[in-house]
Amino acid sequence: MRPATVVGLLVLLLGIQPITTDLYLPALPMLQRELGAGMPATQLTLSALIIAFGLAQLVAGPLADRHGRRPVLLVGLAAYALASLGAALSPSIEALVAWRVLQGVAMAASVTGARSILRDLYEPREGAQVMSRAMGGLGVIALLSPLAGGLIAQHAGWHAALAVLAAFGAATLAAVALCYVETVPRRDPCATRLAPLARNWAIVLAHPGFRAWAGLSALAYGGLFVVLAGSSFVYIEVLGVSRIGYGALMAGNGLAYVVGTVVCRRWLVRHGLRATVRRGAWFSLAGGLGMALLALGGLAGVAGLFACQCLFALGHGVHQPCGQAGAVGPFPEKAGTAASLSGFLMMLSAFGVGLWMGTALDGTVRPLAYGLGVFGCAIALVAWTLVQRDGEPAARPAPAGGAVSP
């Protein structure tokens, strides 16, 4: 495959995650009213998706190591398109949550496959540069999704917003079927056997570099999920922004993320992985802590919140390419397993945020602002300590032996 083809496929495979979460955000308050759902049940349409996504990655990664990336991607994307159609036709909140769970399971194949392909083809530093290019395209999807979702929800309702996901899944399925050439270096017939799988998990989790990079990614995504789970209610219900206006704000947030990926690429060439993350942590800290201080001082208007949110998004554009490439870097023979564990930790962080948001949203800006403040501080702490100490992928090779035999 040509490099441009690889980047294009990564954009689609990774982009399935933000479009699934972001496109219907402007429709959440409308969905809640039309289905007569409470706040916890409405938040469950996000948090159930995320925990299913996280758990399924633990299976999707080893399956891709055993059978190859291509069959897992094709089955997963077909299931995603079907689940998205079911979600669009849901008559109740319970049915919608069930279809969102299936969406999350199917989405795991796409995202885990993309991270595994990255390690199949590139070494960690080069992989981070390629991932930052792909995440620039992913950022465009994140930029357009809430804006398109606001327009669709305003004029056609929340069912139509969810129907777009089925079309995106079908298009991605076609792209993989037509363009993707298998990249797995060597299929591991033992990858899905319980005892070898447990030993592989233990090897990956014991690696200090993995813990540093996976921890950074988990915290960065947890902070992002604070915005995903809480911003529509804060901006629309508390601050009186229209659905289309909210979509425009989230599009601006996506643009800041794209800028962050561009900054990441430039810093990687000049400074390397660890120094890039060390610099990016200032964006995360300034955005999160700034929003918390605005809320604490009673100064949290739309402009101030949005400015801090964009600073945090800049940092996210730096941390995610580096974190995801760094987490799989030490494990060329177990890329699927490492990618699945990293992804599971990210989704576990997001699931916790979703459960908390379901009870914490109180008609004020405080849950959004304080939540982002906590994550901004935690990201900076990990970026300046664990990543600097253990985050050079080549410094600590994984234990010898490649795939574990039974």
Side-chain angles (χ1 to χ4, degrees):
M1 292 182 293
R2 294 179 303 168
T5 301
V6 174
V7 171
L9 286 171
L10 289 176
V11 169
L12 290 174
L13 293 172
L14 293 168
I16 210 167
Q17 183 178 350
I19 198 173
T20 304
T21 54
D22 294 8
L23 190 76
Y24 91 133
L25 289 180
L28 269 179
M30 176 192 296
L31 179 155
Q32 180 186 19
R33 286 194 299 271
E34 289 189 10
L35 295 180
M39 183 64 73
T42 304
Q43 287 293 323
L44 197 59
T45 63
L46 266 176
S47 55
L49 168 90
I50 290 302
I51 194 60
F53 178 40
L55 290 171
Q57 287 181 76
L58 296 177
V59 178
L63 282 173
D65 284 343
R66 178 175 180 176
H67 300 291
R69 318 305 183 204
R70 184 179 175 85
V72 174
L73 285 171
L74 292 175
V75 172
L77 289 167
Y80 176 86
L82 175 65
S84 299
L85 186 60
L89 300 175
S90 295
S92 66
I93 193 69
E94 292 81 9
L96 179 57
V97 169
W99 284 114
R100 294 285 279 179
V101 167
L102 182 55
Q103 269 187 318
V105 171
M107 192 167 67
S110 178
V111 175
T112 302
R115 294 174 186 148
S116 302
I117 290 166
L118 185 77
R119 186 60 188 93
D120 293 342
L121 299 175
Y122 304 104
E123 291 301 316
R125 180 165 175 170
E126 186 182 9
Q129 293 174 326
V130 173
M131 180 65 91
S132 69
R133 288 177 61 196
M135 287 199 162
L138 181 148
V140 173
I141 293 175
L143 185 156
L144 296 177
S145 291
L147 186 59
L151 290 169
I152 294 168
Q154 187 78 21
H155 298 292
W158 65 269
H159 295 280
L162 289 174
V164 173
L165 303 182
F168 185 88
T172 305
L173 175 62
V176 170
L178 294 172
C179 302
Y180 175 63
V181 179
E182 183 62 70
T183 57
V184 66
R186 182 172 66 86
R187 290 174 175 82
D188 177 10
C190 303
T192 55
R193 296 179 185 177
L194 187 57
L197 179 59
R199 287 197 291 271
N200 281 340
W201 282 345
I203 289 171
V204 172
L205 289 170
H207 197 284
F210 173 83
R211 293 198 300 268
W213 290 114
L216 180 75
S217 294
L219 289 170
Y221 194 75
L224 174 66
F225 205 75
V226 169
V227 176
L228 296 179
S231 62
S232 61
F233 293 97
V234 168
Y235 283 113
I236 296 172
E237 301 292 330
V238 178
L239 299 177
V241 176
S242 70
R243 289 184 183 86
I244 295 176
Y246 169 73
L249 289 175
M250 293 301 288
N253 186 83
L255 179 60
Y257 173 78
V258 172
V259 172
T261 64
V262 174
V263 170
C264 178
R265 288 200 297 273
R266 294 182 177 178
W267 283 353
L268 280 169
V269 172
R270 296 177 185 175
H271 308 296
L273 274 170
R274 289 181 296 177
T276 294
V277 165
R278 185 172 65 243
R279 288 165 170 80
W282 287 106
F283 292 130
S284 304
L285 182 65
L289 196 58
M291 187 180 283
L293 291 174
L294 286 175
L296 187 64
L299 303 172
V302 173
L305 291 181
F306 178 65
C308 292
Q309 191 175 308
C310 285
L311 280 174
F312 191 88
L314 276 169
H316 192 71
V318 173
H319 297 313
Q320 278 303 312
C322 295
Q324 292 188 32
V328 300
F331 308 100
E333 299 296 329
K334 292 187 277 288
T337 299
S340 65
L341 280 173
S342 176
F344 172 73
L345 293 174
M346 289 169 62
M347 296 313 109
L348 192 63
S349 173
F351 181 68
V353 170
L355 290 181
W356 174 68
M357 276 289 185
T359 58
L361 287 170
D362 57 0
T364 73
V365 302
R366 288 191 296 270
L368 173 67
Y370 295 162
L372 204 67
V374 168
F375 277 99
C377 292
I379 289 167
L381 180 63
V382 170
W384 293 337
T385 56
L386 296 182
V387 168
Q388 302 309 309
R389 187 185 69 192
D390 302 317
E392 189 58 50
R396 295 174 179 263
V404 178
S405 298

